[in-house]
Amino acid sequence: MGTLLAASAAAFLLALLSAVTGFGGGVLLLPVFTALFGLRVAVPVLTLTQLSSNAARVWLNRRELRWPLAGRFAVGAVPLALAGALLLAHAPLTALKRLLGVFLLAVVAWRRLGARPSRPTGRTFVAVGAASGLGSALLGSVGPLTAPFFLAYGLTRAAYVGTEAAAALTLHLSKTVGYAATGLLGRDRVLLGAALTPATLAGAWVGRRVVGRISDRVFVALVEAGLVVAAVLFLAGW
């Protein structure tokens, strides 16, 4: 019971963070779940909690989200997420995490130096979806990988959060199918994910109230701060 309460508290706080920044909750929650349950349990359970969190963010931001953009992301994400879920048991995770950490730090430095990426095309989001699908299935969450592209497209606040959540939802559904096919989603793990759902829904609801009260400038600063935190965690091998 103590472990479940600790996991629920972490799920609430980090679902709130995801609702404000559009990402980050999964990246920060993975080390918590790994410490509590072990990596092979943590990754599929995290996917189940992200399903409820992203579904809540889609619903709460449904009027502002860009469905065509989320659809292009899904074209690349779905097949690679399925493939990554099948590879989870044998993939070299440490090297991939560190590569992602370097990439995220480079993106933040680029933005801080005044560089601005050109507006991504629909084909770009297919490729981003593919990379995210594979990485997320192996690492549990790579939401920060998509952040620079959604920002460069011009999305902020509710449009950003809702569109990113809709894209991520297709990705996590695909991962769930893959994990189930490889036996990583047993009855106990499904029940654990269900037990954590109320906390993630509550965090998403509170976060939606917060995001409407901050400026675009503060919002982007929060996203970039989240990118740096995620990069440090990846480089540390968490």
Side-chain angles (χ1 to χ4, degrees):
M1 182 58 70
T3 300
L4 181 59
L5 289 174
S8 295
F12 171 82
L13 292 172
L14 296 172
L16 190 157
L17 172 66
S18 292
V20 172
T21 65
F23 74 93
V27 173
L28 298 174
L29 196 55
L30 182 59
V32 176
F33 278 10
T34 300
L36 292 173
F37 310 123
L39 182 62
R40 298 301 176 189
V41 174
V43 171
V45 169
L46 175 62
T47 295
L48 294 177
T49 63
Q50 288 176 314
L51 279 174
S52 57
S53 177
N54 281 287
R57 284 154 53 199
V58 167
W59 176 255
L60 292 169
N61 299 284
R62 63 192 180 280
R63 292 184 179 87
E64 293 88 358
L65 70 85
R66 309 291 178 82
W67 289 106
L69 196 62
R72 293 187 185 101
F73 182 96
V75 169
V78 170
L80 271 295
L82 284 168
L86 297 174
L87 292 172
L88 176 62
H90 307 290
L93 306 185
T94 300
L96 184 55
K97 285 183 179 180
R98 288 176 178 163
L99 180 61
L100 285 171
V102 171
F103 170 78
L104 295 177
L105 287 177
V107 166
V108 174
W110 184 35
R111 290 180 61 84
R112 290 292 93 194
L113 289 172
R116 290 292 182 271
S118 58
R119 195 169 189 260
T121 65
R123 290 182 180 179
T124 300
F125 278 96
V126 174
V128 171
S132 299
L134 181 61
S136 182
L138 295 174
L139 301 174
S141 177
V142 291
L145 180 65
T146 67
F149 298 95
F150 285 107
L151 287 175
Y153 196 79
L155 303 183
T156 59
R157 293 191 286 181
Y160 171 88
V161 173
T163 304
E164 190 278 340
L169 187 60
T170 61
L171 186 157
H172 295 311
L173 286 169
S174 303
K175 286 161 54 182
T176 301
V177 172
Y179 293 148
T182 56
L184 289 174
L185 271 181
R187 179 175 176 271
D188 291 345
R189 296 174 190 182
V190 172
L191 290 175
L192 180 57
L196 295 172
T197 295
T200 60
L201 294 178
W205 184 83
V206 173
R208 179 66 177 89
R209 297 300 179 272
V210 173
V211 77
R213 291 176 168 81
I214 61 177
S215 68
D216 288 352
R217 182 177 180 181
V218 171
F219 177 85
V220 172
L222 286 172
V223 172
E224 290 183 340
L227 287 171
V228 173
V229 171
V232 170
L233 290 176
F234 279 137
L235 289 171
W238 287 24

